[in-house]
Amino acid sequence: ANETSIVIQVGSIQSKHIIEDEYKIEFLQAIESVYQKPLDLRLTLKGERVAFENTKTRTSMNISKKFTFDTYVESDFNKEVVEMAKKVVKKPGRFSPFYITSKSGLGKTHLLHAMGNALNDEGYTSIYIEPNKFTKSIQMASKEGGNSITDLADSYKGYDVLLFDDIQNLGDRSVTLRVLFEIINHHISNEKQVVIVSDRSAQELSG
C-alpha cells in the first residue's frame, strides 16, 4: 500500500474481474474500515509489477492524450457522427455497437482516442484496440496453449468500452474472429459499449 492505494494480488484474471465487477464496493468499504481512511484498490496478478505512479491513469488503455474532441476538426460531413460520439460518451451502452465508416484519412482514429479521453474524464474505462496488435496477441496466446486465449478474452471484458480501429484489417482469421465475437457479444449482452470504425461498411466486411 501507499498513501492513496492498496494492492491486492489475485491468482487469475477471472478472479480479478469477479472482484472488480461484483465485489469492489465491499472491498473498498473493508479497506476503509481497516485503515480508517478511503483508499483506492489496485488488483494485480501474481508476479505483476506494481507501479503506484500510474494509479491515477489506469482507467484506460492505449489512449493517446493528444487526440481529444477539442483538437478534432468538425465540418458539415462529420458533424453528425461527432454529436453521436459525444452521446455515446455520456451514456455508454445505450447505443451499442456504434459503427463508424468513412474513407481513410478522415479522422476515425482521432475520434476513437477522443472518445477514450472523454470517457476517462467521465469515470469510465476504455481500451483502444489496433487490429494487428490484437491479432498478434491472439497468435501468441494460441502458442502458449492452456487457458491463454480464454484469459486474453477475459482481459478485455473488464472494460466499460471497447474501441476497435480499422476492424476490416482483421480479415477472416477464424481464431481471431472467434475471440472478437466472444468479446463483443459479452459487452452487448451486458449493456456495455462497443465502438467500431472501418473504411468499409459492415456489409462489406469479410469473415
Side-chain angles (χ1 to χ4, degrees):
N2 67 1
E3 293 182 357
T4 61
S5 305
I6 185 168
V7 174
I8 296 178
Q9 289 192 334
V10 296
S12 68
I13 292 177
Q14 291 94 330
S15 298
K16 182 177 179 181
H17 290 322
I18 289 172
I19 294 173
E20 287 177 337
D21 295 341
E22 300 181 22
Y23 299 106
K24 188 169 184 179
I25 293 176
E26 288 81 356
F27 270 76
L28 290 172
Q29 290 173 341
I31 290 168
E32 183 173 356
S33 176
V34 171
Y35 288 89
Q36 297 299 303
K37 64 178 181 179
L39 293 172
D40 185 35
L41 173 62
R42 292 275 307 280
L43 297 173
T44 65
L45 297 177
K46 289 183 178 179
E48 187 177 18
R49 182 176 176 270
V50 177
F52 284 111
E53 63 273 16
N54 292 330
T55 299
K56 294 183 179 180
T57 59
R58 292 183 73 254
T59 54
S60 59
M61 282 290 291
N62 307 328
I63 306 298
S64 174
K65 296 294 183 183
K66 68 179 181 180
F67 295 126
T68 66
F69 281 118
D70 290 337
T71 60
Y72 192 80
V73 179
E74 286 190 50
S75 61
D76 290 340
F77 85 93
N78 64 12
K79 182 178 180 180
E80 185 178 359
V81 73
V82 173
E83 290 177 353
M84 190 65 194
K86 291 180 178 179
K87 288 182 180 179
V88 169
V89 167
K90 292 296 182 181
K91 293 185 178 181
R94 183 175 181 182
F95 309 100
S96 185
F98 178 38
Y99 192 95
I100 305 169
T101 180
S102 74
K103 294 179 180 179
S104 297
L106 295 181
K108 296 187 298 297
T109 297
H110 186 145
L111 189 59
L112 279 181
H113 287 285
M115 293 180 71
N117 284 308
L119 286 160
N120 192 43
D121 292 341
E122 294 289 333
Y124 297 104
T125 60
S126 63
I127 182 169
Y128 169 81
I129 303 168
E130 194 275 331
N132 292 329
K133 292 180 180 178
F134 181 73
T135 300
K136 186 176 181 179
S137 66
I138 292 173
Q139 291 173 341
M140 292 176 63
S142 296
K143 291 180 181 179
E144 291 176 5
N147 294 323
S148 298
I149 290 182
T150 299
D151 290 344
L152 178 65
D154 288 345
S155 70
Y156 287 92
K157 294 176 183 178
Y159 291 94
D160 298 315
V161 182
L162 304 177
L163 305 169
F164 286 99
D165 202 358
D166 289 327
I167 202 167
Q168 75 280 350
N169 290 335
L170 286 175
D172 55 2
R173 304 176 182 97
S174 59
V175 177
T176 300
L177 292 179
R178 177 170 60 81
V179 176
L180 174 69
F181 293 151
E182 179 184 343
I183 296 168
I184 290 177
N185 284 336
H186 172 272
H187 267 63
I188 292 175
S189 63
N190 286 277
E191 299 183 344
K192 291 186 175 184
Q193 183 68 47
V194 177
V195 182
I196 298 171
V197 306
S198 174
D199 62 8
R200 304 176 193 172
S201 69
Q203 291 78 9
E204 294 174 316
L205 292 177
S206 63

